[in-house]
Amino acid sequence: MTLSTTNRAVRTVGDRLRRPVVRSGMPASTKLLGYALVAPIVIIMAVVIAFPLVSAVTTSLQNQHVIGSPADFVGVDTYAKLLQDDAFWAALGRSGIWLLLNMIVQTLLAFATALLLQRNGWWSTSARTWIMLPWAVPTVAVAVIWQWMLNSNYGVVYKIFAGVGIDLGAPFANGAFSLITVILVNSWHWFPLSAVVIYGALATVPNEVIEAATMDGANAWRSFWAITFPLLQRVLFALGLVGSLWSFNVLDSIYLTTKGGPAGASTTMPVYIYDTAFSAFRSSEAAAASVVTVIVLAIAGMLFFRFGRPKEY
Amino acid sequence: MRFSVRLERVPAVVAMIVLTVTVLGPLYWITVSAFKDRQEILLSTPTWFPQTFTLTNFQQLFLSTDYVIYLRNSIIVAVATTVVTLIVSLAAAYSLYRLRVPGSGRIAGIVLVSYMIPGALLIVPLYKTLSGLELIDTFAGLVLVNVAFTAPFCTWLLRGFLLAVPTELDEAAAIDGAGPARTMLRVVMPLMVPGVATVGVYTFIFSWTEFVFASQFIVSDTLKTLPIGLSALVGQYTINWGLVMAGTVLTLAPTVILFILVGRFFVGGLIAGATK
């Protein structure tokens, strides 16, 4: 396989990391137009992301209760209180489990789906479109659908399982199962996006290379690991990074099904912060939790970038 | 049609059936349930097809709830978010990936890194920022937030489409005496239609389905969007399942219809943008 095929096949997000060619002779009018065009997104990101981030740091150093109410500067007291709060650590741990299990379930589903989409025939052709439907369904509808189907009195999925002798109980209300149930529901909602992106990346793998490998006696398993997987690495890396962050960010799927319960059993970090701020009215603690979590995520992101990044980057 | 039964195809066929049922089954089930009457929907042995085909649930939804208001609000927010995101991300992508103004690599990096900060973590300070700007309980505030969480991804997605437009076109336009703004609007943008469609569908669906920000930043009943209205129906003390089913069907119908119409192009565009 030539290097140029590799490059063409797997060029992804990472390209932005390459230094752009700075045209020294750019006319002033073009430069002006360029900065005017990029200004809106920069201003919006400053207002919606950067400014609130700074504001979170200030709030976390105070003892504010209801959002926006007057508060005193207390230094790192809030952090000390937060770091001693078992619920905070439990939520962070649950977010870790959430991230990992969502990743595993969705990657397996997405890969299997992508391989099916690649085949010929009417099923694959039509599925390339309708497979995305769960992603297009509003989360609140996703929550209703699964609560309805798993309802122990009238739910069709519950009945089907009962028919073969398996009692699902009340999966959203059972502390041992609520987190895993929400993970499965959330995966149903999100796996189509990864499936389609992986399918697209698979389509960039040149067929002739696979055929040549098959003729040389490589089986499907071997040619997947030797040819397809390395070519997919860039897409998978980008998907892994963005997908993890999207997944970490999920609040609605959890809130709309279990509200983080029962007894906190499905309270991940976003749910913890939401509840601390809007139900318990401890804004400063919520802000401190946000700051700590952003730092943890930044470190995790950098480690992933350092060690998970494909070599040719 | 020829049905060839080959043993090696069995696992794939089974996987296809499982996937079809898993993905489309729930959508089928919710839809047929919406057309069942009060007794049938609660039968202990579910019926696969409505025996008592009725429109009462939908009728009740329109008459006894504010569904129409929520629908109007969702349309306003989704359309406004889509239009603003399109303008902002097209402009940013053109500047960063086409004109490549000095510092564009760094600007693109900063925008993408800030996009990666989970929004759910920022909801508290964001509330404060928005109330400082007097944007709490306004569509403008919600649209602003939605744009911030869609525009960076869309800018990046448009990058792939921009790279596919040959730069020779710009040079030719320049030789013909077109200024940079004219080149952008008259030469490059018309070729960006597939990218615009993809980004538009993504943004529309994002804001149509958005729940977390809408639930905190909108207070008035008259400004609530569909997901909030639907979650209120579910939150009632005794759930009227028929009504909830009808509400769910009408909440997901617009995105599903959009998808049936343009889904093929959207999937193609997503793939083109993400794997370039």
Side-chain angles (χ1 to χ4, degrees), chain A residues 207-228:
Chain A
N207 250 334
E208 307 85 62
V209 184
I210 306 273
E211 276 160 25
T214 315
M215 274 199 300
D216 288 347
N219 59 25
W221 184 252
R222 226 184 104 74
S223 61
F224 175 80
W225 286 111
I227 301 162
T228 312

Side-chain angles (χ1 to χ4, degrees), chain A residues 4 29 36 49 62 69 115-116 152-153 174 188 200 217 253-254 264 285 312:
Chain A
S4 70
S29 64
I49 310 286
Q62 298 172 337
S69 61
L115 291 172
L116 288 176
S152 58
N153 291 320
N174 180 333
W188 182 82
S253 297
I254 306 172
E285 266 172 70
E312 329 87 87

Side-chain angles (χ1 to χ4, degrees), chain A residues 9 11-13 15-16 20-23 26 29-31 33-35 37-38 40-42 44-45 47-49 51-53 55-56 59 64 67-68 113 116 119 123-124 128-141 144-149 151 153-154 156 159-160 188 191 193 196-197 199-201 204 235 241-242 245-246 248-249 251-252 256 269-270 273-274 277-278 283 286 290 293-294 297, chain B residues 9 12 15-16 19-20 22-24 26-27 29-30 33 41-44 46 48 88 91-92 94-102 104-105 107 111-112 114-129 133 144-145 147-149 151-153 155-156 159 180-181 184 202 205 208-209 211-212 215-216 227 230-231 234 241 244-245 248 251-252 255-256 259 263-264 266-267 270-271 274-276:
Chain A
R11 206 162 287 164
T12 71
V13 215
D15 271 25
R16 67 168 196 275
V21 185
V22 178
R23 294 178 196 160
M26 187 179 283
S29 64
T30 310
K31 235 187 243 182
L33 175 73
Y35 288 123
L37 290 175
V38 82
I41 202 171
V42 172
I44 289 170
M45 296 314 278
V47 171
V48 180
I49 310 286
F51 188 75
L53 201 58
S55 155
T59 309
Q64 192 174 75
I67 297 181
T113 307
L116 288 176
R119 303 168 73 95
W123 187 90
S124 302
R128 279 169 213 158
T129 303
W130 58 251
I131 200 76
M132 285 293 280
L133 284 177
W135 171 76
V137 173
T139 317
V140 60
V144 169
I145 290 172
W146 287 98
Q147 279 174 310
W148 167 239
M149 294 203 308
N151 185 299
N153 291 320
Y154 337 104
V156 63
K159 298 284 180 196
I160 291 170
W188 182 82
F191 89 92
L193 200 64
V196 165
V197 172
Y199 159 72
T204 64
V235 172
L241 192 63
V242 177
L245 289 157
W246 277 349
F248 187 93
N249 200 14
L251 171 57
D252 46 9
L256 290 163
M269 192 45 86
I273 290 171
Y274 190 87
F278 296 110
S283 295
S290 295
T293 312
V294 168
L297 283 181
Chain B
R9 287 184 50 183
M16 285 171 186
L19 200 60
T20 311
T22 317
V23 167
L24 297 182
L27 300 176
W29 191 244
I30 204 87
S33 298
I41 203 169
L42 299 182
L43 280 182
S44 62
W48 296 105
V88 168
Y94 195 81
S95 169
L96 296 175
Y97 303 120
R98 190 71 170 195
L99 298 176
R100 300 198 177 234
V101 290
S104 51
I107 298 171
V111 168
L112 279 163
S114 52
Y115 168 69
M116 287 180 177
I117 295 170
L121 299 180
L122 290 180
I123 190 159
V124 182
L126 194 52
Y127 186 95
K128 229 189 314 189
T129 308
L133 295 168
L144 175 72
V145 174
V147 170
F149 287 97
F153 180 69
T155 305
W156 171 72
R159 177 187 157 281
M184 172 178 81
Y202 174 83
I205 290 179
W208 189 267
T209 59
F211 175 81
V212 175
S215 75
Q216 281 306 327
L230 183 58
S231 75
V234 184
W241 280 108
V244 169
M245 294 301 124
T248 306
T251 302
L252 61 83
T255 50
V256 169
F259 229 81
R264 214 149 38 92
F266 172 72
V267 171
L270 191 67
I271 289 167
T275 57
K276 185 83 184 174

Side-chain angles (χ1 to χ4, degrees), chain B residues 13 15 17 45 52 76 94 97 107 109 122 126 152 156 165 169 172 174 177 205 237-238 243:
Chain B
V13 170
I17 292 169
T45 318
T52 53
I76 295 173
Y94 195 81
Y97 303 120
I107 298 171
L122 290 180
L126 194 52
W156 171 72
V165 179
L169 281 178
I205 290 179
Y237 187 66
T238 44
L243 193 64

